[in-house]
Amino acid sequence: MDYTENKKLIVFDRVTKKYGNLLALDDVSFKINEGEIFGYIGPNGAGKTTTIKIMVGLMREFSGNCTIADYSIPDNFMNVQGLIGYLPQEVTFQEWRTVDHALKTFGKLSGMTDNDLEQRIKAVLDLLDLTEVKNKKIQKLSGGMVQKVGLAQALLHTPKLLILDEPLSGLDPASRFMIKQTLKELSKNGTTIFFSSHILSDVQDIATKIGILNKGHLLKIGNLDELKSEFFQTQDIEISLSHLAEGWRNLISLPGVNKIQQKEPGKLILTTEKAMDLDEVSHNIIRQLIELDCRIRSFKPIIPNLDDVYLKYINEDN
Amino acid sequence: MSFPILFKDELKGFYKSYIMIILWIGLPILSILLYLWSPDTSEEMPFSVLIATMISSLGGSLAGIMITVHLIHERSRHVYELFLVRPVKRENLLISKFFAVFICVAIACAVSLVLGMIIDYFHRGTIPAEIIKSTYESFCLSLATMASWCSAGLLVGVFAPSVLVGVILIIFVVNNITSIALLLPMIMKASYSIVYSMIFSVILALIFLILAIFIFDKKQF
């Protein structure tokens, strides 16, 4: 199968899914290009796991179309099974399995040969720091270790598409950092990654494109700047001062400055137009403050993060 | 392609389980006790049938319960998701489980019946052809009955909402259905009643298996 740059790997077209009277997904559409890291975020019950289960063929009754690599899902799911590495939200294994045995079984079921499997298991266990627990029963491992074993089985057969449901949940900070680095590295090597997460800082760190889902509706899709642009038309600057001289209110007359608030003694928040060059506006503000004999302790543009963007979208929708 | 891998996998999981160990020790002990007891059965119920009924009932019910409990437990914990996203046919998951358990209980049954014959040999100094014949018949009957128990365990396991409901269905419903299939030809005094019992049990096993595969195939995970 040939992959060209910017080829659509996943196409979700007007997908609707109901559980009885509950509308889990309502006319959801998106496209994901090869090589992208797509972060899928939303509150509990938004429909993220339902979306993922439709993609991996576990949920076969829905309306609309889902294609992966131009193969219609679920009808032609057998054609793409070898491409996909999947990590469910709560990964579980049969109680009698050891880590090594589980990986061998899943590797063989994915079509790997014994030689490849041996080398690949070693590589994946080293990558995820699981070598020491290779022969331990999975039921005796901690939740974080089980999560890593789940990720190991998803990576084992070097899939072209990784579909991960909450891959970073239950992991300690060091493991999270390691896995984020791994995912970035895989993406650079051409792997497409679709993942859902509640940890927005992690999504912000690695996702090249983000989709926000709420109550089955896809509210917005785009990179972080595109998501911010709809709500954040202005740029805030926080200035901390050890000495605030009289006349600071005149800062409002500077070009690009729309509003000044004194948050607390010694702290100002200036709201500037986003269209203005921040460097020029900042230069003018600092110059004015010096002329007024103010003592600047810190000068910091407030950059909205994904948490701010997410809350804006969800609150607006609710 | 996936069936041999799944079958070996399930076999590895089952043969080391506590219930299998109990069966492999318990059934031979039961067989010894029955031979020693040697009840005076009527002509309508040959002794070999009594052995087959008891061993297959005990072994079969334990195997059926084990499959049911395993299936419900694994379903509720979403264990099958990692299998179904790979090139694995859904029916192979069930069929491999069926054969893994069936072979384990068949071995237990064979061991117990052979043990009975050995005891008989030491008692009589020889094994009459009739004993060999009745042992062979009881082994075939046991296999057919246990096949129906195992496939019933699969069927209950794929649709029962909880372990409690599943076990109740196995003990109270499946037990009666498999007993009817086993004993009906004898009650009706059919000639070759053992053969008919075997045929009914195998047909029942196939029906349960097909239904289980059908229901499992329709499931959304």
Side-chain angles (χ1 to χ4, degrees):
Chain A
M1 210 173 289
D2 291 327
Y3 293 103
T4 55
E5 207 177 292
N6 296 324
K7 182 181 160 71
K8 304 277 179 261
L9 187 58
I10 303 174
V11 176
F12 228 62
D13 183 29
R14 309 197 65 175
V15 171
T16 299
K17 169 70 185 173
K18 278 186 176 180
Y19 297 109
N21 290 329
L22 174 67
L23 191 59
L25 291 177
D26 185 10
D27 209 37
V28 172
S29 299
F30 57 79
K31 293 176 186 173
I32 294 164
N33 295 329
E34 281 178 38
E36 277 184 342
I37 304 179
F38 187 88
Y40 203 45
I41 59 176
N44 293 333
K48 303 186 296 295
T49 297
T50 301
T51 306
I52 285 175
K53 286 193 172 185
I54 288 173
M55 266 189 231
V56 297
L58 289 174
M59 218 158 262
R60 301 193 280 195
E61 287 171 15
F62 58 92
S63 65
N65 297 305
C66 172
T67 61
I68 294 179
D70 295 329
Y71 286 104
S72 172
I73 307 299
D75 300 331
N76 297 309
F77 187 63
M78 291 290 257
N79 294 101
V80 298
Q81 278 169 325
L83 298 178
I84 294 174
Y86 169 58
L87 175 66
Q89 188 173 10
E90 287 169 27
V91 62
T92 43
F93 301 86
Q94 283 142 326
E95 284 155 351
W96 47 269
R97 290 190 191 277
T98 61
V99 173
D100 185 54
H101 183 260
L103 294 179
K104 278 188 176 144
T105 299
F106 289 122
K108 284 180 194 172
L109 289 173
S110 296
M112 295 177 76
T113 60
D114 287 343
N115 281 341
D116 288 343
L117 198 49
E118 210 57 54
Q119 288 170 14
R120 193 71 191 127
I121 287 175
K122 186 178 182 311
V124 165
L125 290 178
D126 284 341
L127 178 69
L128 296 171
D129 201 23
L130 290 170
T131 311
E132 282 180 14
V133 298
K134 180 179 172 182
N135 295 315
K136 268 195 170 177
K137 276 197 178 173
I138 295 173
Q139 66 173 141
K140 297 213 187 293
L141 301 180
S142 66
M145 295 283 231
V146 174
Q147 182 77 353
K148 287 206 263 185
V149 176
L151 193 56
Q153 62 80 33
L155 296 174
L156 202 56
H157 54 291
T158 327
K160 273 290 187 191
L161 169 61
L162 274 173
I163 299 177
L164 314 171
D165 200 346
E166 306 274 355
L168 302 166
S169 68
L171 297 177
D172 58 73
S175 297
R176 279 181 32 210
F177 176 79
M178 181 261 293
I179 285 169
K180 282 193 286 186
Q181 296 304 111
T182 303
L183 294 178
K184 282 186 195 170
E185 205 53 48
L186 287 169
S187 174
K188 277 187 202 157
N189 293 334
T191 304
T192 308
I193 299 168
F194 181 102
F195 77 104
S196 73
S197 182
H198 286 124
I199 310 170
L200 299 184
S201 57
D202 291 334
V203 176
Q204 185 169 336
D205 282 345
I206 62 174
T208 56
K209 199 191 256 185
I210 297 164
I212 302 177
L213 191 73
N214 187 36
K215 295 179 188 172
H217 305 282
L218 190 61
L219 301 178
K220 187 75 177 177
I221 190 166
N223 59 36
L224 187 55
D225 286 335
E226 287 164 0
L227 296 180
K228 279 189 231 176
S229 63
E230 190 168 311
F231 284 108
F232 298 97
Q233 306 294 335
T234 56
Q235 173 72 62
D236 287 349
I237 300 170
E238 184 183 271
I239 307 170
S240 176
L241 301 145
S242 58
H243 170 65
L244 181 61
E246 290 292 324
W248 60 267
R249 290 176 208 282
N250 293 335
L251 288 168
I252 197 74
S253 60
L254 290 173
V257 177
N258 292 344
K259 194 164 112 180
I260 308 174
Q261 294 168 268
Q262 186 172 18
K263 206 168 162 184
E264 56 193 69
K267 203 167 257 185
L268 300 177
I269 304 285
L270 272 69
T271 302
T272 67
E273 286 168 29
K274 200 157 181 181
M276 295 286 293
D277 178 12
L278 182 63
D279 286 340
E280 193 181 321
V281 173
S282 302
H283 173 74
N284 292 336
I285 293 168
I286 292 170
R287 191 176 56 186
Q288 182 84 344
L289 285 169
I290 291 170
E291 281 173 10
L292 290 170
D293 201 28
C294 297
R295 306 278 167 84
I296 303 170
R297 191 178 274 149
S298 71
F299 187 96
K300 188 173 67 175
I302 299 172
I303 300 169
N305 59 20
L306 186 55
D307 293 61
D308 301 319
V309 169
Y310 170 80
L311 287 170
K312 284 269 190 193
Y313 275 102
I314 298 296
N315 290 337
E316 182 90 353
D317 187 54
N318 288 341
Chain B
M1 169 68 194
S2 61
F3 177 75
I5 300 168
L6 290 170
F7 171 68
K8 275 189 223 168
D9 215 46
E10 292 289 346
L11 203 59
K12 188 166 182 167
F14 279 116
Y15 85 77
K16 288 190 287 192
S17 67
Y18 291 124
I19 290 188
M20 278 303 160
I21 293 168
I22 289 168
L23 280 175
W24 281 346
I25 296 170
L27 283 184
I29 290 173
L30 178 67
S31 179
I32 294 168
L33 290 173
L34 281 173
Y35 269 96
L36 291 175
W37 176 40
S38 296
D40 186 17
T41 55
S42 67
E43 283 179 11
E44 283 141 353
M45 167 85 73
F47 185 67
S48 62
V49 174
L50 174 68
I51 294 266
T53 307
M54 294 192 74
I55 287 177
S56 63
S57 183
L58 183 63
S61 57
L62 279 175
I65 289 169
M66 188 166 63
I67 291 182
T68 296
V69 169
H70 270 248
L71 252 177
I72 294 170
H73 194 54
E74 287 167 3
R75 256 198 311 125
S76 65
R77 291 172 63 237
H78 304 285
V79 164
Y80 297 123
E81 289 186 9
L82 294 181
F83 290 91
L84 295 173
V85 297
R86 286 171 163 83
V88 168
K89 289 185 185 172
R90 287 190 175 207
E91 57 266 24
N92 283 351
L93 282 170
L94 295 184
I95 295 171
S96 57
K97 209 176 272 291
F98 169 83
F99 277 109
V101 175
F102 178 70
I103 284 169
C104 287
V105 290
I107 292 171
C109 180
V111 167
S112 61
L113 290 175
V114 165
L115 202 55
M117 285 177 66
I118 293 171
I119 292 169
D120 226 27
Y121 175 76
F122 281 114
H123 256 267
R124 298 165 191 259
T126 181
I127 303 179
E130 255 187 50
I131 298 274
I132 295 173
K133 184 180 172 229
S134 75
T135 304
Y136 173 73
E137 282 172 354
S138 81
F139 180 62
C140 292
L141 194 55
S142 299
L143 287 183
T145 311
M146 286 190 295
S148 62
W149 272 105
C150 289
S151 56
L154 283 180
L155 178 59
V156 173
V158 297
F159 77 80
S162 68
V163 169
L164 179 63
V165 169
V167 170
I168 288 170
L169 284 171
I170 284 280
I171 292 173
F172 293 107
V173 176
V174 172
N175 188 24
N176 290 320
I177 295 172
T178 51
S179 300
I180 290 168
L182 182 65
L183 299 172
L184 191 63
M186 283 163 237
I187 293 166
M188 294 175 70
K189 297 184 187 177
S191 49
Y192 305 109
S193 59
I194 290 177
V195 174
Y196 281 120
S197 293
M198 275 192 259
I199 291 170
F200 286 166
S201 295
V202 168
I203 290 172
L204 202 60
L206 284 171
I207 292 171
F208 286 151
L209 191 58
I210 291 167
L211 278 173
I213 289 170
F214 179 77
I215 294 170
F216 195 67
D217 197 51
K218 296 286 172 226
K219 275 211 170 295
Q220 303 218 69
F221 288 91

